Amino acid sequence: MDYVFKRLDKADLNDAVVIFQAAFLQAPWNEEWTKQQAYNRLIDYMETKMGLHLGIFVEQRLVGFIFSRKMTYLESYELWIDEICVDPTYQGKSIGSALMDKLKEICLNEHIERICLVTKRGKLSHGFYYKMGFDEDESSVCLIHQLDKK
């Protein structure tokens, strides 16, 4: 399968929204995002000052993407992945792996020293990131404080 990679911009947002909705509707997430909710989430990422958003296209059709942001860390940069999604009809066809490989290549060219992300332990995404060479950082922990709605 021939891939074309492109940095995404607002013109790609509606196609990304469709992929986002379809990907998160499936197990293990089973989340029903409305078009507006998905759009709001992705536009927030799109408008990030140091955003690096990469799309993968097959036959001129967006089939997957990574929304991420470059962050200053001391004298270098790290890249934080916010979302990675692949159109469900293209999952299991190495699209996600190709996206991650291209992202790593871009990071090396832009002197980004590490890629960071948060994912749910034990889910499919957890295994995918291990396969892509990510390791758990024993010195860090992700903490969440759920606010009660009153």
Side-chain angles (χ1 to χ4, degrees):
M1 192 175 307
D2 291 329
Y3 310 126
V4 173
F5 297 96
K6 178 186 130 185
R7 291 213 184 185
L8 300 179
D9 57 35
K10 287 184 182 177
D12 302 299
L13 201 52
N14 287 328
D15 293 335
V17 163
V18 171
I19 292 170
F20 183 90
Q21 285 181 284
F24 281 95
L25 189 57
Q26 297 187 125
W29 299 279
N30 301 313
E31 296 175 351
E32 293 187 34
W33 289 78
T34 67
K35 184 174 184 173
Q36 190 62 53
Q37 289 169 326
Y39 180 88
N40 290 347
R41 184 166 181 90
L42 296 182
I43 195 70
D44 286 346
Y45 295 140
M46 182 69 67
E47 293 179 344
T48 300
K49 179 181 173 187
M50 299 274 283
L52 194 167
H53 316 304
L54 181 64
I56 186 168
F57 293 76
V58 174
E59 298 176 0
Q60 301 179 344
R61 178 176 173 245
L62 181 66
V63 297
F65 62 82
I66 295 175
F67 279 77
S68 60
R69 58 200 146 87
K70 194 163 117 173
M71 302 290 290
T72 303
Y73 186 83
L74 296 173
E75 308 250 341
S76 66
Y77 294 100
E78 57 190 21
L79 189 80
W80 279 86
I81 294 176
D82 293 308
E83 294 291 352
I84 179 170
C85 289
V86 174
D87 181 319
T89 61
Y90 284 87
Q91 290 177 4
K93 298 180 181 180
S94 300
I95 297 289
S97 297
L99 263 170
M100 288 299 297
D101 289 342
K102 184 65 173 180
L103 185 70
K104 290 176 187 177
E105 178 186 316
I106 291 169
C107 287
L108 288 171
N109 289 334
E110 295 188 12
H111 309 291
I112 297 169
E113 294 188 3
R114 74 184 66 65
I115 301 173
C116 309
L117 58 87
V118 175
T119 193
K120 296 236 181 191
R121 187 178 311 279
K123 300 289 185 187
L124 290 173
S125 55
H126 191 205
F128 169 76
Y129 294 122
Y130 270 128
K131 181 181 91 174
M132 295 308 305
F134 286 77
D135 293 311
E136 290 186 44
D137 179 356
E138 297 297 327
S139 68
S140 299
V141 62
C142 176
L143 299 174
I144 298 172
H145 176 81
Q146 183 67 43
L147 298 172
D148 292 330
K149 296 178 184 177
K150 292 184 181 188

